[in-house]
């Protein structure tokens, strides 16, 4: 599946890697994550391939199972690849628990591979969104903030990851929609000035910010967390996912079809 965020060489490397991995497992979906999906790729950004695979039902019932979470990191033709995959069962449990990583794999916009069954799962995943996602996005943003505050170079990337996670979480809590590209959310939530960070990051993965820019954003970043907190307090989402039985039925149908 062609993705506009990738150039011809990146697309060819991604296709090569996924063809090789599909010799060992059947992908339900492969989503492009990281800077390419978040709206601020640079020429040296790696390809972050986050996958969900389906273990054959007969293998689940038998003695020998595949590795639970296969991963692969390497550089091919100058393109850095970071591939990982999780089986559909823990992924769906994670969706119910509000795990944004798994939710984004299923409903994210940039798909490199998708099996026909994904069409039936996407609306169920969106219907399963609950206020539990607040914990995920708050935790992710907090860890990124620690990296930002931890000293060393003041990179645009670290700060953009804080904004990306707080604003994706905010938007999901307010609207029930999952938008991963932070550039689509900046203006809506009053962070249009962050486009200077986007431009800096697009210039290079390790672009360092001037001290004056860092100081200005040190005073702004708390507002991103306050925005997330406010969205949680007034969220349109239910406290708990309402359709666990529907997801269970979908998985049973999938297992039967793959026996």
């Amino acid at each position: 599946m062609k993705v506009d965020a990738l150039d011809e060489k990146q697309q060819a490397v991604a296709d090569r890697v996924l063809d090789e991995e599909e010799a060992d497992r059947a992908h339900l979906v492969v989503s492009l994550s990281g800077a390419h999906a978040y709206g601020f790729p640079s020429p040296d950004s790696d390809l972050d391939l986050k996958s969900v695979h389906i273990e054959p039902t007969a293998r689940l019932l038998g003695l020998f199972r595949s590795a639970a979470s296969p991963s692969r990191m390497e550089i091919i033709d100058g393109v850095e690849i970071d591939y990982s995959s999780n089986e559909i069962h823990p992924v769906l449990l994670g969706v119910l628990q509000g795990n944004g990583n798994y939710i984004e794999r299923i409903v994210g916009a940039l798909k490199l591979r998708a099996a026909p069954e994904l069409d039936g799962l996407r609306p169920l995943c969106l219907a399963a969104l609950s206020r539990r996602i607040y914990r995920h996005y708050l935790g992710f943003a907090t860890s990124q903030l620690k990296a930002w505050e931890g000293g060393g170079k003041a990179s645009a990337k670290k700060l953009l990851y804080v904004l990306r996670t707080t604003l994706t979480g905010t938007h999901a809590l307010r609207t029930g929609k999952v938008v991963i590209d932070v550039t689509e959310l900046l203006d809506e939530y009053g962070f249009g000035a962050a486009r200077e960070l986007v431009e800096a990051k697009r210039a290079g993965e390790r672009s360092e910010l001037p001290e004056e820019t860092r100081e200005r954003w040190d005073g702004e970043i708390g507002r991103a967390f306050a925005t997330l907190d406010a969205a949680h307090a007034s969220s349109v989402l239910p406290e708990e996912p309402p359709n666990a039985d529907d997801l269970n039925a979908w998985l049973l149908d999938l297992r039967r079809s793959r026996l």
Side-chain angles (χ1 to χ4, degrees):
M1 191 178 298
K2 181 72 173 68
V3 173
D4 290 340
L6 301 183
D7 62 30
E8 199 170 305
K9 182 179 182 181
Q10 291 170 326
Q11 182 76 48
V13 170
D15 285 339
R16 171 182 163 184
V17 168
L18 295 179
D19 286 346
E20 292 170 358
E21 294 301 321
E22 285 180 347
D24 295 323
R25 68 195 61 88
H27 290 126
L28 172 69
V29 61
V30 182
S31 288
L32 188 60
S33 186
H36 289 90
Y38 303 160
F40 42 81
S42 53
D44 52 347
S45 292
D46 66 355
L47 296 190
D48 197 353
L49 311 178
K50 298 298 184 185
S51 308
V52 180
H53 64 271
I54 306 166
E55 190 82 346
T57 305
R59 190 176 295 169
L60 288 174
L61 296 172
L63 183 60
F64 304 106
R65 299 188 179 187
S66 302
S69 302
S71 62
R72 173 176 178 178
M73 295 184 68
E74 62 181 293
I75 297 175
I76 300 174
D77 295 338
V79 178
E80 186 176 355
I81 290 286
D82 184 353
Y83 165 91
S84 63
S85 189
N86 296 87
E87 213 278 325
I88 184 61
H89 175 257
V91 167
L92 292 185
L93 289 178
V95 167
L96 291 173
Q97 293 161 0
N99 185 313
N101 288 327
Y102 291 155
I103 292 167
E104 290 177 8
R105 291 187 199 190
I106 295 170
V107 305
L110 300 184
K111 300 283 186 286
L112 288 167
R113 301 282 169 95
E117 293 92 341
L118 184 67
D119 290 339
L121 179 60
R122 283 174 58 91
L124 294 178
C125 182
L126 287 171
L129 292 181
S130 72
R131 295 191 185 198
R132 290 180 176 181
I133 65 171
Y134 169 73
R135 295 191 299 272
H136 169 86
Y137 285 108
L138 177 62
F140 195 173
T142 299
S143 66
Q144 295 300 316
L145 179 60
K146 289 179 180 177
W148 165 256
E149 295 176 337
K153 292 184 178 181
S155 72
K157 177 180 178 178
K158 293 176 183 177
L159 187 50
L160 281 169
Y161 268 64
V162 176
L163 290 174
R164 203 293 286 187
T165 48
T166 52
L167 295 186
T168 293
T170 293
H171 195 69
L173 287 161
R174 286 189 173 181
T175 68
K177 299 177 181 178
V178 180
V179 177
I180 301 172
D181 186 338
V182 72
T183 65
E184 298 179 19
L185 301 174
L186 293 175
D187 293 333
E188 182 171 354
Y189 294 104
F191 290 91
R195 296 191 183 280
E196 66 174 339
L197 305 176
V198 173
E199 292 307 310
K201 170 60 178 64
R202 286 176 175 170
E205 187 75 8
R206 296 170 179 82
S207 298
E208 188 175 356
L209 297 174
E211 185 61 29
E212 62 182 28
T213 302
R214 173 169 187 155
E215 290 176 356
R216 185 167 67 252
W217 278 99
D218 277 341
E220 278 285 282
I221 206 64
R223 188 163 61 87
F225 282 89
T227 301
L228 178 61
D229 291 341
H232 178 237
S234 61
S235 178
V236 301
L237 298 178
E239 291 288 345
E240 306 291 335
N243 65 338
D245 289 343
D246 293 335
L247 283 171
N248 184 58
W250 180 90
L251 182 58
L252 287 172
D253 287 343
L254 178 72
R255 296 299 194 205
R256 293 186 186 105
S257 71
R258 298 294 180 111
L259 183 60

